[in-house]
Amino acid sequence: MISDVGVAAAPGSSSAGLGVGAVGAAAEAVAGVAAMQEEVGIRREGPEPDPDEPPKKRVKIPEGESGKLEERLYSVLCCTVCLDLPKASVYQCTNGHLMCAGCFIHLLADSRLKEEQATCPNCRCEISKNLCCRNLAVEKAVSELPTECTFCLKQFPRSSLERHQKEECQDRVTQCKYKRIGCPWQGPFHELPAHEGECSHPTKTGTELMGILGEMDQNHHRDMQLYNSIFSLLCYEKIGFTEVQFRPYRTDDFITRLYYETPRFTVLNQTWVLKARVNDSERNPNLSCKRTLSFQLILKSKVNSALECSFLLLKGPYDDVRIKPVIHHHSFSNDANETDYVPLPISDSVECNKLLAAKNINLRLFIFQVQK
């Protein structure tokens, strides 16, 4: 009832002049303001807001407004080089600027190629493996930020995304259990039971399966051929190995080029040298995103007869660079004492940057002399 509504009159004015219509209009205005506050989730204390207040301060918060905090954290925690959230280790310069592990190693590798001191791309302070340290707090914060599953498009914390995609996601790509007998099917995990119930491979005849298994055996044979070759080399009478250290040098040409060379070393009573070059002696390898290393083995001592050898390079005992061994063969003589440049079998440019970022490249060389 209107008689139950109390309306305070302004100072110096009389409440007797207020009619029923005016009281009803005031009550509706107060109720409207309260409803608007409740709609946008505003809790105010004290006097009611001015009805002439600009409407932009009272509009409803649009959908996705809560994601702005994540966007701000993204810009704060991202790598200063690639502007992406780090996926693994996070390094910081002495002024606190963040770099993901890949970009940090890339910067160090670039500095070696240009013979310059590596600097932070943000503040230009010096950076190195000794000056920079990991930021564990940022690594943990990044692991808690949400990210989208590439299969089901749902949001998950980065720390649990890998387990979800490998074990839990119903849309993750999986393969038929009859793959071992040649079934090529792959698809979403939730479709796997239906496919396996209708898969035709279990009903194939023995002759058909033997043909499929023959092709699979050929692929497996190619994978095992390398390891069998290494075991065969271990049967040789003369085997030598040593740790080699590549050091960077520049040519004396008008257009200088970077190359790497080891000091002379002795293996199998012969003197040798290893040389290496970046991107097949490209003039400015620091301008390339993809990096490769190739090397050659040089016999420095004189021999009375041809020296037929097999050799391969592996990672050093204290390095974490992934190198897939490849066996090379060459018949050394006084007229043919150098091998051709052959690629160092590293997996990708990231592994190459790991080598280039170091002061020296440390590898292990094996030489097997073929007995005649």
Side-chain angles (χ1 to χ4, degrees), residues 299-360:
L299 176 64
K300 287 295 185 179
S301 56
K302 299 297 182 179
V303 291
N304 297 325
S305 59
L307 188 65
E308 190 173 350
C309 294
S310 299
F311 61 95
L312 70 155
L313 273 178
L314 299 175
K315 70 175 185 178
Y318 306 109
D319 292 331
D320 60 348
V321 178
R322 292 175 294 179
I323 297 180
K324 184 179 180 181
V326 174
I327 301 171
H328 304 281
H329 307 275
H330 188 77
S331 181
F332 292 92
S333 64
N334 295 330
D335 297 328
N337 64 334
E338 297 182 357
T339 68
D340 294 331
Y341 274 91
V342 293
L344 183 67
I346 47 183
S347 57
D348 51 34
S349 295
V350 175
E351 300 300 311
C352 186
N353 283 328
K354 287 182 181 179
L355 292 174
L356 297 175
K359 288 184 178 180
N360 299 299

Side-chain angles (χ1 to χ4, degrees), residues 116-267:
E116 298 176 355
Q117 173 62 48
T119 58
C120 171
N122 201 320
C123 64
R124 298 303 176 186
C125 70
E126 293 186 3
I127 60 174
S128 68
K129 289 186 177 179
N130 294 329
L131 294 174
C132 298
C133 63
R134 288 176 60 183
N135 192 319
L136 300 181
V138 170
E139 291 178 13
K140 293 180 180 179
V142 171
S143 69
E144 295 300 321
L145 287 177
T147 188
E148 191 176 80
C149 173
T150 55
F151 303 120
C152 65
L153 305 183
K154 295 180 181 178
Q155 297 280 335
F156 294 92
R158 292 173 180 266
S159 57
S160 62
L161 179 65
E162 184 177 0
R163 179 172 59 86
H164 166 78
Q165 290 184 334
K166 287 184 176 180
E167 303 175 6
E168 301 172 354
C169 183
Q170 294 296 307
D171 292 327
R172 68 184 186 273
V173 178
T174 187
Q175 294 177 323
C176 177
K177 67 180 180 181
Y178 299 114
K179 176 190 175 183
R180 289 172 289 184
I181 56 175
C183 180
W185 183 90
Q186 61 179 12
F189 178 78
H190 64 83
E191 296 180 4
L192 180 61
H195 164 76
E196 290 181 347
E198 302 174 355
C199 185
S200 61
H201 278 72
T203 61
K204 289 185 179 295
T205 64
T207 303
E208 292 174 329
L209 290 178
M210 287 302 294
I212 296 173
L213 294 175
E215 295 178 1
M216 297 173 66
D217 286 343
Q218 290 179 3
N219 296 331
H220 179 70
H221 175 72
R222 285 193 292 268
D223 295 336
M224 293 300 297
Q225 190 172 6
L226 170 66
Y227 300 97
N228 293 333
S229 300
I230 293 177
F231 285 124
S232 298
L233 293 175
L234 294 177
C235 299
Y236 285 10
E237 181 180 353
K238 293 186 176 181
I239 301 174
F241 75 93
T242 184
E243 274 73 43
V244 294
Q245 187 177 83
F246 289 90
R247 298 173 183 173
Y249 297 93
R250 300 275 173 174
T251 62
D252 296 330
D253 303 334
F254 176 74
I255 301 176
T256 62
R257 296 184 185 276
L258 172 70
Y259 69 97
Y260 288 81
E261 186 173 331
T262 66
R264 295 192 178 196
F265 56 89
T266 301
V267 177

